[in-house]
Amino acid sequence: AQSVTQLDSQVPVFEEAPVELRCNYSSSVSVYLFWYVQYPNQGLQLLLKYLSGSTLVKGINGFEAEFNKSQTSFHLRKPSVHISDTAEYFCAVTNDAFNDYKLSFGAGTTVTVRA
Amino acid sequence: GAGVSQSPSNKVTEKGKDVELRCDPISGHTALYWYRQSLGQGLEFLIYFQGNSAPDKSGLPSDRFSAERTGGSVSTLTIQRTQQEDSAVYLCASSPARVPYEQYFGPGTRLTVT
């Protein structure tokens, strides 16, 4: 079984400031890691993913995340946020179990960007 | 191209009624997943389809919930004798065979049971 913990439920941040959203996971097997964003009244959009290889992954909209196996973490960062980054962010994990890639999600982090 | 679509976008129903929620995946996507997003439980996996078969139904919360997929495409999630705790947003996702771990989500159906 695997689980995901997002350490911050709400993150207020000023426009053009940096932001970091923390995510820790637990799993007994190798995992794939994802960050999704959900804008109000919309579905989930994939921001970025870690499958293997380089531990620093870059995604859309200027976001990046770093996989740390020893810390079992996958924190999301953006050096300078915009008002339009206001949304809810979900960290998710899956592993390859007979081609079943069902996702386990964290509880989500609400980011509110203020001018 | 067209993304995952779901209908209806909103559904209000009375306790005890049956409801059907529909998902149209991206054309050619072989895998389809249903998730539920509720205030108390966050995002939970419900069921996974590979083609028309459902090898993983482990997330269905009770036998009132069922789902089918026909022609390897459209899927319907049925909730019988709805209860207030079924109120949630039901999300559908699909993924292509060549990148099976990459899921594309629909906008969801918001179900309210009164």
Side-chain angles (χ1 to χ4, degrees):
Chain A
Q2 54 217 12
S3 65
V4 180
T5 303
Q6 290 184 242
L7 297 159
D8 309 291
S9 59
Q10 306 220 13
V11 174
V13 58
F14 286 106
E15 193 175 19
E16 297 184 6
V19 71
E20 177 179 80
L21 308 184
R22 297 178 292 168
C23 172
N24 286 89
Y25 69 93
S26 65
S27 176
S28 57
V29 298
S30 295
V31 296
Y32 301 147
L33 294 154
F34 305 83
W35 276 98
Y36 283 86
V37 60
Q38 186 175 35
Y39 299 104
N41 300 314
Q42 294 187 27
L44 297 169
Q45 181 181 359
L46 181 64
L47 273 180
L48 49 77
K49 60 183 181 285
Y50 173 79
L51 307 176
S52 64
S54 174
T55 57
L56 182 64
V57 293
K58 294 187 184 296
I60 61 171
N61 301 341
F63 284 92
E64 63 181 33
E66 184 151 22
F67 170 62
N68 187 318
K69 188 174 182 179
S70 62
Q71 303 281 334
T72 59
S73 67
F74 190 55
H75 300 334
L76 179 72
R77 301 184 185 97
K78 185 170 182 177
S80 176
V81 296
H82 303 293
I83 298 288
S84 59
D85 292 321
T86 294
E88 190 159 19
Y89 293 80
F90 293 92
C91 183
V93 62
T94 188
N95 61 30
D96 180 2
F98 305 102
N99 288 323
D100 180 353
Y101 292 95
K102 64 186 175 196
L103 293 165
S104 296
F105 288 90
T109 298
T110 301
V111 173
T112 304
V113 182
R114 299 190 175 101
Chain B
V4 178
S5 61
Q6 293 185 245
S7 60
S9 55
N10 279 286
K11 176 72 176 179
V12 180
T13 189
E14 292 179 353
K15 178 181 172 181
K17 302 279 190 183
D18 298 353
V19 295
E20 284 190 351
L21 312 180
R22 177 188 169 107
C23 171
D24 279 272
I26 294 172
S27 178
H29 280 196
T30 54
L32 187 147
Y33 300 80
W34 283 97
Y35 296 88
R36 180 169 71 172
Q37 185 174 25
S38 56
L39 280 176
Q41 302 298 323
L43 272 157
E44 309 169 275
F45 164 78
L46 296 177
I47 187 169
Y48 154 65
F49 285 93
Q50 182 63 244
N52 290 337
S53 65
D56 189 349
K57 305 179 184 178
S58 62
L60 294 178
S62 77
D63 58 8
R64 296 186 296 105
F65 287 72
S66 62
E68 63 175 14
R69 189 179 185 195
T70 54
S73 181
V74 172
S75 177
T76 303
L77 177 68
T78 302
I79 309 173
Q80 296 178 308
R81 305 181 302 282
T82 52
Q83 304 293 314
Q84 287 188 331
E85 61 262 28
D86 300 334
S87 296
V89 176
Y90 289 82
L91 293 167
C92 175
S94 68
S95 60
R98 61 180 175 81
V99 199
Y101 40 78
E102 197 159 306
Q103 296 182 30
Y104 296 82
F105 282 80
T109 293
R110 182 175 297 277
L111 175 66
T112 303
V113 182
T114 61

